[in-house]
Amino acid sequence: SEKAPSKMPFPQRVVQPVAVTQTSDPLPKSQDLTLTNNVTLSNLLSQMSCISAQASGIFSGLASEMQQLVGRTRKLASKAERLGSRVERLVRDQDPPPSTGRRPSPPARPRSRAC
């Protein structure tokens, strides 16, 4: 079975605003502007707290993924370094000995036979 390329997931959260001027308790009929302001401010602070908690969760998840990525990167760097030294060793072992300053003679040409 062929494995699809993995994509780094983008964390998504559904955050919906709440009517900030509504309360669960019935307000007195003579609600004044100060009471409405206080209810609105309280609801806004509550929503900002929820958004902050969501952001904290997202960043914690990203930090965890980055730690895993750092670990995998370090392993790959170590493997690449080992392979690099192995290749250097193999190349060094296959190199011809240094020449004596003479040019190598050209290969002999095959003689053609006349029939």
Side-chain angles (χ1 to χ4, degrees):
S1 72
E2 198 172 336
K3 191 174 181 182
S6 65
K7 293 181 182 179
M8 188 173 246
F10 184 74
Q12 296 182 355
R13 305 283 196 283
V14 177
V15 178
Q16 295 180 337
V18 178
V20 293
T21 56
Q22 293 180 353
T23 71
S24 56
D25 297 330
L27 294 174
K29 290 189 181 197
S30 63
Q31 60 174 286
D32 59 348
L33 192 55
T34 304
L35 180 60
T36 304
N37 285 341
N38 288 342
V39 167
T40 303
L41 181 60
S42 173
N43 287 339
L44 285 173
L45 288 172
S46 176
Q47 284 187 29
M48 289 173 65
S49 173
C50 289
I51 290 172
S52 174
Q54 292 284 341
S56 177
I58 289 171
F59 287 120
S60 293
L62 287 174
S64 174
E65 286 181 31
M66 290 303 110
Q67 287 292 59
Q68 291 174 358
L69 184 62
V70 165
R72 291 194 318 252
T73 303
R74 286 185 177 150
K75 284 181 184 178
L76 286 174
S78 174
K79 285 181 182 181
E81 188 175 318
R82 285 193 314 266
L83 285 173
S85 5
R86 191 172 189 184
V87 167
E88 285 176 9
R89 195 170 51 246
L90 288 171
V91 167
R92 187 178 52 231
D93 292 347
Q94 289 182 356
D95 279 344
S99 72
T100 58
R102 294 187 306 174
R103 294 173 75 192
S105 59
R109 291 185 187 172
R111 295 185 183 190
S112 61
R113 293 186 168 178
C115 299

